[in-house]
Amino acid sequence: MTDARVELLDRALVEEAAKKSGLLWVRIADASDRALWQVWHDGAVLVVGEGAEQPLHGLADGQTTVLTARSKDKWGRLVAWPVRVEELAPGSEAWTAAVAELKAKRLNSPDHETVTERWARESRVLRLVPTGGSVQNPDAMPDASHAAAPLPTVATTRRPAPAALPRLLFGRRRRRS
């Protein structure tokens, strides 16, 4: 296969994976990955964050990072590619087009009618533009699992199950006389 054809197939894989996935994982400066809700539009990934939206700390204008998408059928890592972060200025033509796409795909927004004004006031809209071919794809996957331990939180507890729990869940078996 020619290099141009491989590059075209690689670009198509990145685009399809990003279009079909509502979440992508972004590599943050401290080498951890964070899931981000996103929309693919006009050759790039769009994300909105800060304020009442998802956190974007660790992503700055002009920075380069890596995005990872999973397979919709197998749920495993499908493709990872490098991107350049572009922060869009509120009110600009690019920002307006990006916000229109993001607003259309935003689920469960508490203020759907005024979300655009809220995003202009308190959030950042980023455009993550691919800068090259994939660094991981079905033909070139790393041997390591990349699994990470969950972040510590007070919301999870680990206690023994109460002794009565099986009886409550499954009921008592009645004996036939």
Side-chain angles (χ1 to χ4, degrees):
M1 229 185 282
T2 65
D3 287 341
R5 187 167 181 206
V6 169
E7 185 179 319
L8 186 62
L9 290 172
D10 193 53
R11 197 171 335 142
L13 175 63
V14 165
E15 184 173 341
E16 277 303 305
K19 281 181 180 179
K20 293 191 183 272
S21 182
L23 288 177
L24 294 177
W25 281 260
V26 63
R27 175 70 36 110
I28 305 300
D30 64 359
S32 64
D33 289 350
R34 181 182 312 133
L36 290 178
W37 169 79
Q38 59 85 29
V39 172
W40 179 269
H41 176 66
D42 199 24
V45 170
L46 302 174
V47 295
V48 61
E50 306 302 344
E53 301 296 332
Q54 62 194 344
L56 295 177
H57 52 276
L59 293 175
D61 192 30
Q63 170 187 355
T64 59
T65 188
V66 175
L67 292 180
T68 304
R70 68 177 180 152
S71 166
K72 289 295 271 187
D73 58 347
K74 304 281 188 200
W75 290 54
R77 181 178 41 236
L78 177 64
V79 63
W81 67 98
V83 294
R84 183 184 67 255
V85 178
E86 293 178 358
E87 187 164 349
L88 304 177
S92 68
E93 188 176 321
W95 185 88
T96 305
V99 165
E101 287 294 318
L102 288 162
K103 182 180 176 183
K105 304 287 182 175
R106 175 68 164 94
L107 301 176
N108 303 327
S109 178
D111 57 347
H112 189 71
E113 294 78 28
T114 60
V115 73
T116 307
E117 292 81 24
R118 181 171 55 87
W119 286 348
R121 189 175 57 251
E122 65 186 40
S123 297
R124 297 186 314 151
V125 176
L126 302 180
R127 187 168 187 264
L128 308 175
V129 183
T131 58
S134 64
V135 292
Q136 295 175 10
N137 60 51
D139 293 331
M141 283 293 174
D143 292 332
S145 73
H146 289 244
L151 296 174
T153 176
V154 297
T156 58
T157 57
R158 204 65 174 154
R159 295 186 184 146
L165 186 61
R167 192 172 49 235
L168 291 171
L169 292 175
F170 304 113
R172 291 186 189 205
R173 293 182 184 235
R174 296 186 184 175
R175 294 184 185 181
R176 294 185 182 180
S177 307

